[in-house]
Amino acid sequence: MSGKPISSDVIEQMGGEACPIAILTGSGISAESGLSTFRGSGGLWAGHRVEDVATPEAFAREPGMVYDFYNTRRRNLLSEDVAPNAAHLALARLEAFWPAPVTIITQNVDNLHERAGSSGVIHMHGELLKIRHVGTDEVRVWHDDCHANTLGGGWRPHIVWFGEAVLEGEAIVEALRSAGLFLCIGTAGQVYPAAGFVREVAGPGVEFNVGRTEISDFFRERWTGPASETVPRFVDSLLIV
Ligand code: BJW
């Protein structure tokens, strides 16, 4: 961290008008809620090769394995053991009390931001509790297992795989363009376009992670530690003026 803490800069702006805040979250924010990250040891892909499960080609080649992968994760997300943690709750509190728009752009396919109370969450990589028809693009909420013959066939997980366009691109551009502050929580910064947001956003960035990432150098400030501890402390520093 260099210079004075970013939170005091932002608080100074409160004398005029509070700035909109854009927040990018990744799987690290949900790790303490009992959901696996992607690339760490024991991560989601530890037992699978990425290209076996997270591409349209893999789905065409071996649909059964891909359906099973997401069915297992959907069941886990719906289990009693998984719930929002203090970081999700702090972001919902920020949205409730910050006097300017707070937009969460999440790479996560879980629903923990919504369950914590955040609204208007942008799920750029899709949602585990939805399925999409490959012919019509119709999207449905879906809490059961999904297979090749579900609802007569043609339904796939509503997930953005490698090589597919991310969702809600225009809303993301608008949130980044207008943000006076950018928070980036629990992502390794290895998957684009999300990894490039810190270089596109109008305002300064703050990174929250347990360690350094490939994009750490682009942030004005870094908070190191578990998100459930660092994010509530940061939010407190913004809200207590
Ligand atoms: C904690 C913590 C705690 C742990 N507290 N922190 C430019 C350059 C090079 C390549 C590309 C490029 N632009 C596009 C590409 C190609 C590609 C890409 O990025 N490839 C890379 C491998 C280089 N991107 C795409 O294909 C994207 N599409 C696209 O660009 O389309 C263009 C297009 C336009 C028009 C038409 C057609 C195409 C799509 C990307 C989709 C990504 N989808 C996935 C899988 C979804 C399926 C699933 O859920 O199974 O989304 S990839 C996977 O990675 C998942 C995640 O959302 C994403 C990010 O992972 P994340 O969250 O960062 O997880 P980890 O595990 O890597 O990191 C966890 C972090 O948390 C670590 O840093 C920990 O330290 C930290 N942590 N505990 C705080 N308690």
Side-chain angles (χ1 to χ4, degrees):
M1 194 191 298
S2 61
K4 64 183 176 174
I6 211 161
S7 41
S8 56
D9 273 359
V10 176
I11 288 164
E12 272 167 27
Q13 292 181 35
M14 296 285 285
E17 222 168 285
C19 61
I21 300 175
I23 304 170
L24 174 68
T25 62
S27 59
I29 195 173
S30 297
E32 295 165 81
S33 292
L35 298 178
S36 298
T37 61
F38 286 90
R39 293 174 183 80
S41 64
L44 274 170
W45 289 336
H48 297 265
R49 294 191 314 145
V50 178
E51 57 273 25
D52 286 343
V53 286
T55 66
E57 293 76 19
F59 182 57
R61 196 174 57 238
E62 223 174 328
M65 187 195 63
V66 176
Y67 281 120
D68 284 348
F69 179 67
Y70 291 101
N71 288 340
T72 303
R73 285 172 57 194
R74 193 179 300 107
R75 275 184 243 131
N76 186 38
L77 176 58
L78 291 169
S79 76
E80 284 178 2
D81 304 335
V82 175
N85 65 55
H88 298 103
L89 294 167
L91 296 184
R93 192 157 46 87
L94 182 62
E95 179 189 328
F97 293 107
W98 188 248
V102 172
T103 306
I104 295 179
I105 305 163
T106 189
Q107 299 170 88
N108 299 341
V109 298
D110 65 53
N111 61 353
L112 296 181
H113 286 303
E114 288 88 346
R115 285 168 62 185
S118 292
S119 62
V121 178
I122 297 173
H123 281 275
M124 62 182 291
H125 291 167
E127 293 175 74
L128 200 47
L129 299 184
K130 291 182 178 170
I131 55 174
R132 184 166 82 242
H133 195 271
V134 294
T136 65
D137 272 348
E138 182 189 344
V139 174
R140 287 198 189 186
V141 173
W142 197 256
H143 288 194
D144 297 323
D145 283 359
C146 178
H147 298 288
N149 58 359
T150 292
L151 296 173
W155 294 86
R156 56 165 275 185
H158 184 44
I159 301 286
V160 177
W161 289 319
F162 285 113
E164 296 183 318
V166 300
L167 304 174
E168 300 198 60
E170 282 180 21
I172 293 172
V173 169
E174 175 53 28
L176 297 177
R177 193 194 57 75
S178 61
L181 176 65
F182 176 62
L183 311 182
C184 180
I185 305 168
T187 178
Q190 294 186 25
V191 174
Y192 287 82
F197 289 173
V198 63
R199 280 164 276 178
E200 295 164 27
V201 70
V206 185
E207 181 177 58
F208 301 80
N209 204 296
V210 288
R212 280 189 68 81
T213 70
E214 303 212 349
I215 53 174
S216 286
D217 288 343
F218 297 100
F219 290 89
R220 159 103 175 263
E221 185 172 312
R222 293 178 51 233
W223 287 53
T224 303
S228 68
E229 293 172 16
T230 54
V231 175
R233 275 199 284 122
F234 183 83
V235 167
D236 285 347
S237 75
L238 285 186
L239 293 180
I240 300 167
V241 189

